Amino acid sequence: METVNPATGEVVDSYEEDSASDIDDALARAEDSFAEWRDVPLREREQLIEAAGDVLRDNEREYAELMTEEMGKPISQAHSEIQKCQWLCDHYAQHASEYLEAETHPSPPGTTVKTVYDPMGPVLAVMPWNFPFWQAMRFAVPYLAAGNVGLLKHASNVPGCALAIEEVFDKAGLPDGAFQTLLAGSEKIDDVLADDRVRAATLTGSGPAGRAVASTAGENLKKTVLELGGSDPFVVLDDADIDAAAETGAWARNQNGGQSCIAAKRFIVHEDVYDEFLDRFVEECEALTVGDPTEEDTDLGPQAQEHLMDDLHDQVEASVDAGATVVTGGEPLDRDGPFYPPTILTDVPEGCPADSEELFGPVASVYSVSDEDAAIAKANDTEFGLGASIWTEDRERGQRVARRIDAGCTYVNQLTKSDPRVPFGGVKNSGYGRELSEAGIKEFVNRKTVWIE
């Protein structure tokens, strides 16, 4: 397993993949560790989660630079990602006990009936490369706090990050085997998920990967949480603050090189403000700096891998061939590495890739619509349903529109984002289940009724 710095093309490191025997040993350790970890008092588990946050603080620069090296994230954004993981640890260290407090129910005189939240066992996580720390930590922290143990199968281009996350929990003082990284190819995951020692699975990734995991889990009667792709609408209504919408929209589309499931991808703009918004949006996108991801002032680094940029450009070219207009960008930059500029497409025909597929890179599709109802209809005209952003100066109108959009997360006058305090997840082909907050920590627990006569 070899990692390549996408900005330079240089080999970063090489790792030996886990054999079938290695994976079996890991599963045995997970099973043994669960027997110990589940009995650790919740308050003590919270303290160890807090300690994991301290490890992240102490090693922030090292972990940020590792991210930048392995997948090209601009260094300032890599620091922000590690800081968000620290916040995640702090949040569950403070609130896990509250989230998992037993609930009492009405019962006959002399009896006590309650629901308690017991852990399930080892949980397998299949995670992507785009937010290599955050995606894995937002799985691990709540599930570990609940008393489960974790097995991480990370993307093959970020094995260093995967091992570093295992190191975080080891340094924090969790028992051996409570959190383990499996350096294994995707072809081995079906057998891991089918193993009786694994009790549940979560995946963040593509639709086909999600279907494969859900299928195997279903055959083995194991619960799953899936966070899949997105083609999030960014709706600009006629009474929106255009400057704020354009500035936030440019960042919502282009942060992390546009490589985000919850990035704004389809900009749906009321015709009365379309020209004004488009002009400001182009200005904001063209002002972003594309360059060396190790430089603090870089906004967009390279795409994570050459073939990913090639796929993105194929989608752009197919959309242009179908009739879309390139307003800015639209061609790979003439430099070493897979660098793609912020790109804006207008006149996007229905059914072309920029309209119907997820574009996982810095490409925005901009539409003009006649009214609020048309904006909602276009926002919902997608197989995906992860997030949405609505812009209006009328908060009641924003809430009304937000309720009519088919998505797991809707934000008014704000970009779509994940936050430890609120549930995160999608509907339709964007998956099911929720991560984060109380909803997330309770996804993989046994909601056990205890009746005491």
Side-chain angles (χ1 to χ4, degrees):
M1 189 176 290
E2 216 171 50
T3 57
V4 176
N5 184 326
T8 65
E10 297 175 355
V11 174
V12 175
D13 212 337
S14 59
Y15 302 81
E16 186 173 344
E17 285 197 36
D18 289 336
S19 65
S21 176
D22 294 330
I23 293 172
D24 187 66
D25 289 344
L27 293 173
R29 283 193 299 273
E31 186 176 45
D32 291 343
S33 182
F34 175 62
E36 174 187 354
W37 181 242
R38 68 177 302 166
D39 290 333
V40 173
L42 179 52
R43 286 294 189 187
E44 291 183 26
R45 295 202 298 266
E46 287 177 326
Q47 291 172 346
L48 290 168
I49 294 299
E50 182 179 33
D54 292 337
V55 174
L56 288 164
R57 270 180 275 274
D58 293 343
N59 298 277
E60 179 180 319
R61 173 158 291 279
E62 175 189 343
Y63 295 153
E65 290 176 347
L66 178 59
M67 257 191 285
T68 297
E69 190 174 47
E70 286 198 324
M71 53 73 61
K73 188 185 299 290
I75 189 65
S76 61
Q77 296 171 45
H79 276 280
S80 294
E81 182 169 333
I82 299 299
Q83 291 163 10
K84 192 171 183 179
C85 293
Q86 296 164 17
W87 176 27
L88 175 74
C89 292
D90 294 343
H91 178 80
Y92 279 101
Q94 295 170 16
H95 297 290
S97 293
E98 175 187 352
Y99 289 156
L100 296 173
E101 183 73 27
E103 297 180 35
T104 58
H105 304 286
S107 61
T111 66
T112 299
V113 181
K114 62 178 68 176
T115 296
V116 299
Y117 300 98
D118 290 345
M120 296 177 66
V123 179
L124 172 67
V126 181
M127 291 291 123
W129 48 263
N130 56 333
F131 292 91
F133 270 77
W134 171 247
Q135 302 279 18
M137 292 294 291
R138 81 180 188 196
F139 133 73
V141 169
Y143 299 161
L144 287 167
N148 296 302
V149 299
L151 295 158
L152 171 63
K153 188 282 178 212
H154 219 325
S156 59
N157 59 327
V158 289
C161 291
L163 292 171
I165 295 166
E166 182 180 290
E167 174 188 84
V168 168
F169 293 112
D170 182 57
K171 287 185 173 181
L174 275 73
D176 179 51
F179 184 90
Q180 299 176 82
T181 282
L182 305 178
L183 294 183
S186 298
E187 72 281 356
K188 297 178 181 177
I189 294 308
D190 266 5
D191 289 342
V192 174
L193 183 50
D195 193 288
D196 289 341
R197 291 168 289 189
V198 173
R199 298 310 312 144
T202 180
L203 175 141
T204 298
S206 69
R211 287 183 176 88
V213 165
S215 176
T216 301
E219 290 173 4
N220 292 276
L221 294 179
K222 296 179 181 180
K223 186 176 182 182
T224 52
V225 169
L226 303 181
E227 195 262 278
L228 307 177
S231 188
D232 286 8
F234 189 99
V235 177
V236 183
L237 297 174
D238 52 322
D239 63 345
D241 180 332
I242 299 303
D243 286 339
E247 181 180 357
T248 302
W251 189 241
R253 171 62 281 198
N254 292 291
Q255 67 172 316
N256 201 43
Q259 301 164 123
S260 171
C261 295
I262 56 170
K265 298 184 175 109
R266 296 177 300 128
F267 291 76
I268 300 164
V269 187
H270 193 288
E271 61 185 10
D272 289 353
V273 295
Y274 177 83
D275 290 338
E276 181 185 359
F277 174 81
L278 182 60
D279 288 345
R280 289 288 294 113
F281 187 47
V282 171
E283 288 176 10
E284 293 289 344
C285 289
E286 290 182 342
L288 296 171
T289 300
V290 183
D292 183 349
T294 64
E295 297 291 336
E296 291 285 347
D297 62 351
T298 293
D299 298 308
L300 281 80
Q303 299 296 281
Q305 294 177 300
E306 190 82 36
H307 74 89
L308 296 172
M309 186 189 73
D310 292 341
D311 292 345
L312 176 69
H313 189 52
D314 286 346
Q315 290 174 302
V316 170
E317 288 190 312
S319 300
V320 171
D321 289 344
T325 300
V326 177
V327 178
T328 187
E331 291 287 343
L333 296 181
D334 185 16
R335 59 180 295 171
D336 291 337
F339 288 86
Y340 207 83
T343 296
I344 297 173
L345 303 178
T346 60
D347 307 314
V348 178
E350 185 175 347
C352 76
D355 177 66
S356 61
E357 300 175 8
E358 179 178 25
L359 272 59
F360 211 67
V363 180
S365 301
V366 186
Y367 303 84
S368 175
V369 292
S370 58
D371 56 28
E372 180 183 304
D373 287 340
I376 293 167
K378 187 60 185 175
N380 290 334
D381 184 22
T382 174
E383 67 186 66
F384 299 107
L386 190 53
S389 182
I390 301 103
W391 290 77
T392 171
E393 290 287 76
D394 183 338
R395 290 164 63 93
E396 291 186 6
R397 183 187 193 190
Q399 180 172 294
R400 182 180 69 247
V401 172
R403 294 295 300 271
R404 293 180 62 192
I405 291 179
D406 300 329
C409 320
T410 50
Y411 285 74
V412 178
N413 299 326
Q414 179 60 272
L415 56 78
T416 306
K417 57 188 176 181
S418 55
D419 182 312
R421 299 167 295 187
V422 296
F424 179 81
V427 296
K428 300 196 290 189
N429 283 1
S430 289
Y432 52 76
R434 292 295 179 264
E435 297 177 292
L436 304 173
S437 75
E438 181 176 356
I441 200 172
K442 287 181 174 176
E443 282 286 3
F444 293 135
V445 293
N446 175 12
R447 300 168 183 250
K448 181 187 294 181
T449 297
V450 177
W451 183 298
I452 304 168
E453 189 72 30

